[in-house]
Amino acid sequence: MSFWDKESICEQRFRQGGPFYIVTTENLPWLLFTSEQEFIDGTNMVAVALAGLRLRLLNEVMMNNHLHFLLEGSYEGVLVFTDRLRKAMSRYQIARGNPSLANWEIQVKVIENLRNLRNAILYISRNPSVAGRNVTPVGYKWSSAQLMFNQNLQYYLAGVPFDTLTYREKREIVHSRDLTLPNSYRILDGMILRQSFVDYKRAEEFFESAHQYFRLLARRVESDAETARWLGETILLPNEDVFRIVADWYNVKMVSLLNPNQRLEAARRMKAELMSNNKQIAQVLRLPLEQIDRFFPVAK
C-alpha cells in the first residue's frame, strides 16, 4: 500500500470519527502537583472523571500547573468530564490548603481537520520536553505518550482489576461513595494505569505508521508554536530548534550568516511565529538584549 493510500485511510478515519476536542486548563501561578503521590491522585481523578462517559481519551499530559486532553465524543460528554474534573481537583486542592479551582478556566476547542488532530497529539506528547523537562516525550511518567506505538506494553500489563480491591482501597482511589468504575481499569500501587483508560490505539490510527509518528514528533517543532497560538498558550522552543528554523527561513547553514536587515526581520518572525521571548531572540540572533528590549518593550 502506498503512502498516499495510507494517508487516505487516515483522512477517512477522521471524517467518519469524531468530533474531536482538545481540552487545556489555564496555567496556574501555583502548582497542582508537588509530589509523586499528588501526580498519582491527579491521574486517578482524570480516570474517575472519564468513567461511564461515551468518550474516548486519545492522549493526555499532566504538568505541574496545567493539563491537556484530546477527546473524541460528544461536546456534552466533554463538558461533563471537565465539570467532574474541576470539582474533584478543586476539593483536592482546598484540602491541601491551596486556592479553590471553582473558577478554573478550562478551554475546549473543536479540531476541524486531520492536520490539526495530528498536531494536537504531537503537541500533547511533546509538552514535557517543550516545558523544559529533561525527558523525552515517551519518557515522561505522567503522559500517555509513553503508550503510543509501544510493543513492549505487553510486558507492562501489571496491576489488578479495580473490582478486586478492598472497600478501603477503592475509597482511597475514588474519594467517593460511588465505587463503580469500568472493569477495564487496572490498579498498580494505588494508581489507575493509563493504558486502561487512554485509548492510545485510537490515536495511533491517525498516523500512517509508527515511523511517521516519531518523525513528526522529533522534527515538527514549528507545529508546537502553531498549536500554542491556536490555544492561546505561551511556549518556548529550545534554542537549538529555533536556530534550525531561522536558518531554514533564509536558506543558510548558520544564523550568523544573516545580514542586519534579515536579523531584524527574523526577530519579528520569531516573536510572531515562534513566540520567542526577548532573551531567546537576542541569544539566537546574537543581538544586544537592550536592542531587542527597545524593539519589543517589556511591560514593567
Side-chain angles (χ1 to χ4, degrees):
M1 185 180 297
S2 72
F3 168 80
W4 296 112
D5 288 336
K6 293 177 181 178
E7 282 291 288
S8 178
I9 291 173
C10 291
E11 286 280 0
Q12 185 177 12
R13 287 170 179 162
F14 177 85
R15 291 193 300 269
Q16 293 178 348
F20 302 92
Y21 301 92
I22 185 167
V23 176
T24 185
T25 68
E26 66 176 306
N27 288 4
L28 295 170
W30 44 279
L31 299 183
L32 285 167
F33 315 112
T34 59
S35 67
E36 178 155 319
Q37 183 58 53
E38 291 183 358
F39 270 105
I40 290 174
D41 292 339
T43 300
N44 292 342
M45 281 184 267
V46 170
V48 171
L50 188 68
L53 299 178
R54 297 183 65 181
L55 288 177
R56 284 173 158 174
L57 176 57
L58 306 188
N59 202 8
E60 51 77 41
V61 65
M62 295 171 52
M63 304 301 295
N64 286 102
N65 69 337
H66 70 279
L67 313 171
H68 290 293
F69 306 98
L70 180 63
L71 294 157
E72 180 181 10
S74 70
Y75 182 68
E76 292 75 15
V78 172
L79 293 183
V80 173
F81 168 74
T82 56
D83 183 61
R84 287 179 179 178
L85 188 61
R86 180 189 283 108
K87 290 177 180 177
M89 287 275 187
S90 188
R91 289 193 298 267
Y92 185 82
Q93 294 300 318
I94 291 172
R96 279 151 183 75
N98 291 326
S100 168
L101 293 176
N103 297 318
W104 197 21
E105 182 180 338
I106 301 179
Q107 179 178 255
V108 179
K109 288 203 171 187
V110 65
I111 295 174
E112 297 179 344
N113 55 57
L114 178 62
R115 177 185 174 182
N116 285 347
L117 179 64
R118 283 177 173 167
N119 279 349
I121 293 171
L122 296 166
Y123 180 77
I124 291 171
S125 294
R126 279 195 293 253
N127 208 247
S129 299
V130 170
R133 297 298 183 92
N134 189 29
V135 294
T136 64
V138 297
Y140 186 62
K141 191 173 183 178
W142 313 109
S143 165
S144 54
Q146 61 189 293
L147 308 177
M148 296 279 289
F149 294 102
N150 185 353
Q151 292 184 351
N152 289 322
L153 283 181
Q154 59 181 311
Y155 300 112
Y156 304 137
L157 294 178
V160 298
F162 180 77
D163 283 348
T164 65
L165 301 182
T166 66
Y167 176 82
R168 181 175 180 178
E169 288 171 334
K170 291 179 179 179
R171 283 294 302 270
E172 288 177 354
I173 290 173
V174 179
H175 298 287
S176 169
R177 293 179 181 177
D178 183 3
L179 302 181
T180 304
L181 286 179
N183 292 331
S184 60
Y185 281 16
R186 299 185 68 85
I187 317 300
L188 179 65
D189 296 332
M191 183 175 74
I192 303 174
L193 295 175
R194 276 177 165 74
Q195 52 262 49
S196 64
F197 66 88
V198 178
D199 195 348
Y200 61 94
K201 285 292 185 184
R202 176 62 170 166
E204 292 177 358
E205 292 181 358
F206 300 103
F207 297 89
E208 58 93 5
S209 66
H211 173 75
Q212 182 192 44
Y213 170 71
F214 278 100
R215 176 172 56 82
L216 297 176
L217 188 66
R219 297 181 183 177
R220 290 191 62 183
V221 293
E222 286 178 278
S223 70
D224 277 337
E226 178 183 328
T227 303
R229 285 197 302 275
W230 180 48
L231 295 175
E233 293 197 321
T234 300
I235 66 170
L236 190 64
L237 299 176
N239 276 9
E240 55 267 28
D241 291 329
V242 177
F243 273 115
R244 181 182 60 76
I245 293 169
V246 174
D248 287 346
W249 285 345
Y250 297 94
N251 195 28
V252 295
K253 291 184 178 181
M254 296 182 294
V255 174
S256 59
L257 297 176
L258 299 181
N259 64 44
N261 288 336
Q262 287 175 325
R263 293 191 189 204
L264 291 178
E265 180 188 46
R268 294 190 187 94
R269 291 190 66 180
M270 288 172 64
K271 178 67 71 171
E273 299 177 31
L274 304 182
M275 293 179 292
S276 296
N277 59 27
N278 288 6
K279 182 178 179 181
Q280 184 175 67
I281 293 172
Q283 289 174 342
V284 170
L285 299 178
R286 296 184 181 179
L287 293 171
L289 180 59
E290 296 78 10
Q291 179 183 357
I292 301 302
D293 285 342
R294 289 195 299 271
F295 205 34
F296 304 111
V298 179
K300 301 296 185 180

